[in-house]
Amino acid sequence: VLPFPSQVVYNRVGKCGSRTVVLLLRILSEKHGFNLVTSDIHNKTRLTKNEQASMELIKNISTAEQPYLFTRHVHFLNFSRFGGDQPVYINIIRDPVNRFLSNYFFRRFGDWRGEQNHMIRTPSMRQEERYLDINVCILENYPECSNPRLFYIIPYFCGQHPRCREPGEWALERAKLNVNENFLLVGILEELEDVLLLLERFLPHYFKDVLSIYKNPEHRKLGNLTVTVKKTVPSPEAIQILYQRMRYEYEFYYYVKEQFHLLKRKFGLKSHIRKPRPRPEFFIPSPLETEEPIDDEEDDEKWLEDIYKR
């Protein structure tokens, strides 16, 4: 019997399926009896120097009743740097341009829940800004559609250092290092069912039966309510510009995707890894299907035990 982590942090990246996963976690926490600690802070991903020095957030997390799973939109925190026990981190990312587009239209028009949550989240947004054409925003280089706003995913893995918010190699490499050293799993939203399968394998105390719950028609109905509405597809020219502006985000995305596919193969899930195209396929959603397992003779239980001990 492998030991299971009693402290898990899901520092969820915005618009990467996190609301779907949190819905699942609420069900799972009642089913399996772990402490789900959620934060009502949604728009503060970075801590000030004083907040880092006081270690208030880390203390609050560390003193939660174990086993716990803490979730919040927050950039990576190194607990051990402040004398705390480093928890197990998990996260999910998605194609960077698709994430950006989902966020762009969600801020303006919300989702199918019908609670006018876009007006709650962006009450001061002027009408001309709310209805700003996405192509105009990109092609005319509005702040919302250019760096550093587009440098969004990497800081969640790079951390709290000021340089983590600067698009460049330093933040990229530090994010990769943290993925390797501090994250048990970083999944890909386009392959969510496989992400859930691996979470159930790695963290059964938290995620046992997650896939059957996810596939339940009633849960699917709830999940569909969180789909962003009024999304439109930018022109090919605008998408190409976004792709160039987000080149570091894509380098990180492809790195994580490759690692995720290697992990899937190790645990018997087939993947067809293709070389990156000149620009991503934004118009064809990836199927959320799990293929037949393949034979794997490696000692994956030993590998998993080593992960827990790191």
Side-chain angles (χ1 to χ4, degrees), residues 2 301-310:
L2 293 171
E301 298 293 341
K302 178 65 168 60
W303 177 88
L304 184 57
E305 188 172 0
D306 291 340
I307 284 285
Y308 284 150
K309 289 178 179 177
R310 280 202 311 211

Side-chain angles (χ1 to χ4, degrees), residues 132-142 145-146 234-242 245:
L132 175 65
D133 183 270
I134 184 69
N135 290 300
V136 173
C137 184
I138 296 166
L139 296 175
E140 297 187 12
N141 205 25
Y142 278 64
C145 298
S146 57
S235 68
E237 179 189 3
I239 288 178
Q240 188 63 35
I241 289 172
L242 276 182
R245 289 176 185 170

Side-chain angles (χ1 to χ4, degrees), residues 68-96:
Y68 69 75
L69 192 151
F70 174 81
T71 177
R72 173 179 161 178
H73 295 298
V74 64
H75 295 170
F76 174 77
L77 284 162
N78 191 332
F79 283 55
S80 57
R81 180 184 169 195
F82 298 100
D85 293 331
Q86 186 72 352
V88 164
Y89 271 87
I90 58 173
N91 217 321
I92 301 171
I93 65 173
R94 72 190 287 191
D95 178 285

Side-chain angles (χ1 to χ4, degrees), residues 53-247:
S54 68
M55 300 188 296
E56 182 178 352
L57 178 60
I58 290 177
K59 287 176 182 175
N60 288 343
I61 298 172
S62 300
T63 55
E65 183 182 351
Q66 298 182 21
Y68 69 75
L69 192 151
F70 174 81
T71 177
R72 173 179 161 178
H73 295 298
V74 64
H75 295 170
F76 174 77
L77 284 162
N78 191 332
F79 283 55
S80 57
R81 180 184 169 195
F82 298 100
D85 293 331
Q86 186 72 352
V88 164
Y89 271 87
I90 58 173
N91 217 321
I92 301 171
I93 65 173
R94 72 190 287 191
D95 178 285
V97 166
N98 280 336
R99 194 220 68 81
F100 163 74
L101 294 176
S102 181
N103 185 64
Y104 183 89
F105 292 105
F106 177 72
R107 290 183 69 244
R108 286 160 170 77
F109 308 116
D111 54 32
W112 287 107
R113 287 177 293 178
E115 60 186 33
Q116 297 295 309
N117 56 354
H118 59 295
M119 297 298 292
I120 295 170
R121 288 174 182 273
T122 55
S124 60
M125 184 180 283
R126 302 187 307 274
Q127 286 297 92
E128 57 267 30
E129 184 183 358
R130 194 175 299 281
Y131 291 95
L132 175 65
D133 183 270
I134 184 69
N135 290 300
V136 173
C137 184
I138 296 166
L139 296 175
E140 297 187 12
N141 205 25
Y142 278 64
E144 186 178 359
C145 298
S146 57
N147 279 316
R149 299 275 188 89
L150 295 179
F151 194 68
Y152 183 86
I153 297 174
I154 287 175
Y156 275 87
F157 300 88
C158 179
Q160 298 289 326
H161 194 286
R163 290 186 69 184
C164 288
R165 305 191 293 274
E166 300 172 5
E169 291 288 339
W170 188 91
L172 170 65
E173 293 305 317
R174 181 160 172 158
K176 288 180 181 179
L177 183 66
N178 278 332
V179 166
N180 293 335
E181 293 187 350
N182 294 294
F183 283 79
L184 178 65
L185 177 69
V186 182
I188 300 295
L189 182 62
E190 292 86 354
E191 301 170 40
L192 180 58
E193 288 194 9
D194 287 345
V195 177
L196 298 178
L197 275 171
L198 287 178
L199 283 171
E200 184 172 358
R201 180 68 180 272
F202 293 173
L203 300 169
H205 187 80
Y206 300 88
F207 287 97
K208 183 174 169 50
D209 300 323
V210 64
L211 198 57
S212 61
I213 297 169
Y214 173 72
K215 288 183 173 182
N216 184 293
E218 289 301 313
H219 182 270
R220 284 293 181 108
K221 195 183 299 181
L222 282 174
N224 288 339
L225 294 177
T226 65
V227 175
T228 301
V229 300
K230 295 189 179 182
K231 282 166 62 172
T232 59
V233 179
S235 68
E237 179 189 3
I239 288 178
Q240 188 63 35
I241 289 172
L242 276 182
Y243 188 43
Q244 294 302 320
R245 289 176 185 170
M246 303 173 84
R247 61 188 181 277

Side-chain angles (χ1 to χ4, degrees), residues 44-55:
K44 193 175 189 305
T45 57
R46 302 188 297 269
L47 306 183
T48 65
K49 288 183 178 179
N50 287 337
E51 287 171 329
Q52 290 186 56
S54 68
M55 300 188 296

